[in-house]
Amino acid sequence: MAARPTWQGHLKLSLVTCPVALYTATTSAADVRFHLINPDTHNRIRMVPTDPDAGPVERSHLVRGYEVSKDEYVLFDDADFDKVRLESTKTIAIDKFVDEAEIDRLYWDDPFFVVPEKGAGVEAFAVIRDAMQKQGKVALGQLVLRGKERQLALEVRGKGLVAYTLRAHDEVRDADDYFDDIPKVKADADMVEIAARIIAQKEADFDPTAFKDRYDDALREMIKAKTKGGKGLVDVAEPDDTNVIDLMAALKNSLKGSAGGARKPAAKKPAAKSAPRKKTA
């Protein structure tokens, strides 16, 4: 396997334990990336850690500090962090099982592939995996990852497992703080019916391969144009806000347009199980 594991340890269900590795399930390798350049010298800017009194310092020499009061810090080095020993530092202990629908989508975060290490532990991994599949449940456990203990939701996928980090309750804002100020409006029943028909005409199966990052593509085209000496700029007009007076007419025109390009819905086939959140947002 080409990728390096993000974490290595053990997966534990009661008395059954097996060595596993976690691999990041997503990648940003294809993203367009930019560097900061000084336009006067065309030199790439280097971010150098600098002490206001001593000047530039080696990053490897630095330690972390927690501010207990203004300008007063408690210092921590790697040895200090090694002293914080939790079972979840090296073990994912499954402590309960829930239905996937019980976990609010706002809590789902980053996915990781859970792969058994080669050796005698593969059989134990298969026992845990097949038991989870038989029960049709999502497993919950904890793991210290990147300097923080996170709750994990694990589900069966093919021959392996996928573990999603779950956001803590205090990391998720209360939706009511944002939605309470939305005015109460009684939508016109006829307009809702037309909008529902438009939605029905646009029904389709989810196909992640069909999505293309047009912004990323536009950046690549601009890079190509600039490489050739062009500007590569594109002007795009913003849509006007909906005119409430013409809303019914707009809906009817939209319905006609959708009908003209509508296709006969294909027979639905079981879709591959996808990440239940962002569920990447």
Side-chain angles (χ1 to χ4, degrees):
M1 189 172 294
R4 296 181 59 184
T6 300
W7 178 90
Q8 289 177 290
H10 287 79
L11 178 65
K12 180 181 178 183
L13 173 61
S14 189
L15 299 179
V16 180
T17 305
C18 61
V20 296
L22 264 62
Y23 296 85
T24 303
T26 59
T27 178
S28 58
D31 290 354
V32 174
R33 298 181 183 276
F34 295 93
H35 299 287
L36 290 176
I37 305 294
N38 184 338
D40 297 327
T41 64
H42 289 184
N43 289 329
R44 178 178 168 183
I45 300 302
R46 305 291 181 180
M47 299 300 180
V48 180
T50 303
D51 185 306
D53 295 326
V57 294
E58 291 292 333
R59 188 175 295 275
S60 60
H61 182 65
L62 302 179
V63 297
R64 281 174 279 186
Y66 180 83
E67 189 173 17
V68 293
S69 60
K70 185 172 177 57
D71 296 330
E72 292 189 358
Y73 299 84
V74 176
L75 302 184
F76 290 81
D77 58 20
D78 292 341
D80 291 320
F81 290 106
D82 289 339
K83 294 175 184 176
V84 182
R85 294 291 185 181
L86 299 177
E87 181 188 21
S88 55
T89 303
K90 288 296 182 182
T91 302
I92 303 172
I94 299 174
D95 52 17
K96 64 181 64 174
F97 293 86
V98 300
D99 291 328
E100 180 182 328
E102 291 185 21
I103 306 175
D104 191 317
R105 290 193 179 200
L106 285 173
Y107 289 92
W108 293 92
D109 203 356
D110 296 323
F112 295 86
F113 295 135
V114 184
V115 180
E117 299 282 22
K118 294 180 179 179
V122 174
E123 184 178 3
F125 180 87
V127 169
I128 296 174
R129 177 199 63 205
D130 293 352
M132 288 175 57
Q133 188 169 37
K134 182 176 181 180
Q135 294 301 108
K137 297 288 187 177
V138 171
L140 297 181
Q142 288 80 36
L143 172 66
V144 174
L145 188 65
R146 297 166 181 162
K148 186 175 183 179
E149 187 175 42
R150 305 301 299 264
Q151 188 170 37
L152 292 182
L154 300 97
E155 65 178 8
V156 177
R157 180 177 291 256
K159 296 191 295 182
L161 299 174
V162 177
Y164 297 90
T165 54
L166 298 178
R167 298 181 179 92
H169 183 265
D170 58 6
E171 293 179 317
V172 178
R173 292 173 174 169
D174 189 345
D176 290 341
D177 293 340
Y178 300 86
F179 296 161
D180 280 351
D181 290 336
I182 298 177
K184 292 183 178 180
V185 177
K186 180 64 175 178
D188 182 273
D190 291 337
M191 293 185 184
V192 172
E193 176 60 27
I194 295 175
R197 288 163 62 187
I198 294 173
I199 293 171
Q201 290 176 350
K202 292 180 177 292
E203 182 180 353
D205 293 327
F206 175 66
D207 179 10
T209 63
F211 175 76
K212 303 297 180 184
D213 187 342
R214 295 176 297 168
Y215 187 80
D216 189 90
D217 291 342
L219 285 175
R220 293 183 187 279
E221 287 299 319
M222 187 181 296
I223 291 170
K224 187 185 299 183
K226 281 181 171 288
T227 302
K228 295 180 180 179
K231 294 184 178 180
L233 299 178
V234 178
D235 292 327
V236 179
E238 293 188 10
D240 295 331
D241 291 336
T242 299
N243 186 333
V244 177
I245 298 176
D246 298 324
L247 183 54
M248 177 63 84
L251 285 168
K252 290 181 177 179
N253 289 333
S254 297
L255 183 61
K256 293 177 182 177
S258 298
R263 60 174 176 82
K264 185 178 180 180
K268 289 194 173 182
K269 56 184 179 181
K273 195 169 185 181
S274 60
R277 57 161 188 124
K278 44 174 188 158
K279 186 186 177 189
T280 119

